[in-house]
Amino acid sequence: MTARKPLLVATIGAAALAGCNKAGEIVVEQGVGITALRTVCPAVGVPDYTGNVTLFSPADARTQDAIDVTATLTNVRSQCNDSGDEVYATATFDVLAQRRDTRGARTVQLPYFSTVVRGGNAVVAKRIGTVTLNFADGEYRTQASGTAGAVVSRAAATLPDDIRERITRRRRSGEAEAAVDPLTQPEVRAAIARATFELLVGFQLAEDQLAYNATR
């Protein structure tokens, strides 16, 4: 992925209503009407500052020459099954790592989190997993893969009929309503937020590791 700004804050345009002739998009038809095509599948992403991790030796050092292992979470891909009342989403990703000292075989385990977030800031589920990196003797690079999943209620991820009608209502040029973007109305924005879910993955970092990523 893709860094997100700010941490755990959804951008409605990108997460729920962005694109062109795809699920999740708003298409404005020459200022006359709005057609909304919206997916119930959660958007998948990596929160800011959680896509990288740096291990130091000694652990309390923070200088360049003390860097032991670095890893990046990348190539996030998603699949979604929205055929039933429960929506199942899966995210897979790669972890690319390198180490400073290449002597001997070495195994490094890195914890990662997966969270289901509703409305941009409400965490409704969280799981912790582990990615295992295996460095061969003499090798300074390696990679591994990880996976995360989410289950979302279709009903919860579906816009109420009245909100849907308000967004998709055909507007004629010259009408007062044609000059008002329904997506700017507080009740519409709130309904979209409530129905918007995300599956976020990243390294499970200690506070000092997160601070290091934010300031480096």
Side-chain angles (χ1 to χ4, degrees):
M1 185 168 152
T2 56
R4 305 176 46 77
K5 297 183 179 180
L7 181 65
L8 296 184
V9 175
T11 301
I12 290 179
L17 299 171
C20 177
N21 295 330
K22 302 174 185 175
E25 247 180 35
I26 291 291
V27 179
V28 181
E29 299 177 346
Q30 299 178 347
V32 178
I34 296 178
T35 300
L37 305 174
R38 185 179 182 280
T39 178
V40 295
C41 293
V44 174
V46 179
D48 280 349
Y49 313 126
T50 67
N52 298 279
V53 63
T54 303
L55 305 182
F56 292 89
S57 181
D60 59 350
R62 287 298 178 269
T63 57
Q64 190 76 17
D65 61 352
I67 292 177
D68 181 25
V69 174
T70 61
T72 300
L73 193 154
T74 188
N75 299 330
V76 179
R77 304 166 297 278
S78 64
Q79 292 184 326
C80 182
N81 181 350
D82 61 353
S83 59
D85 292 337
E86 300 292 328
V87 178
Y88 296 90
T90 302
T92 58
F93 57 88
D94 297 327
V95 173
L96 309 181
Q98 62 183 49
R99 60 174 175 166
R100 181 185 59 182
D101 187 349
T102 63
R103 293 172 297 177
R106 183 180 176 188
T107 297
V108 177
Q109 293 188 322
L110 298 176
Y112 69 90
F113 68 85
S114 62
T115 59
V116 180
V117 179
R118 185 178 191 179
N121 55 16
V123 176
V124 296
K126 181 176 181 179
R127 293 183 176 88
I128 303 295
T130 302
V131 168
T132 300
L133 301 169
N134 292 303
F135 291 94
D137 183 21
E139 296 293 332
Y140 73 97
R141 292 183 186 274
T142 191
Q143 71 178 72
S145 299
T147 185
V151 181
V152 174
S153 164
R154 170 180 285 277
T158 301
L159 288 174
D161 289 342
D162 61 324
I163 297 295
R164 201 169 178 76
E165 190 278 333
R166 192 182 306 189
I167 295 174
T168 59
R169 183 186 307 152
R170 187 78 177 179
R171 291 162 174 79
R172 298 181 180 277
S173 181
E175 292 181 345
E177 279 193 346
V180 179
D181 181 356
L183 299 180
T184 64
Q185 298 172 341
E187 60 271 29
V188 173
R189 292 175 64 86
I192 291 173
R194 285 193 300 272
T196 298
F197 290 82
E198 297 172 286
L199 171 57
L200 304 180
V201 296
F203 289 116
Q204 181 70 19
L205 303 175
E207 288 186 12
D208 60 330
Q209 291 175 314
L210 189 61
Y212 176 81
N213 285 353
T215 57
R216 66 174 184 167

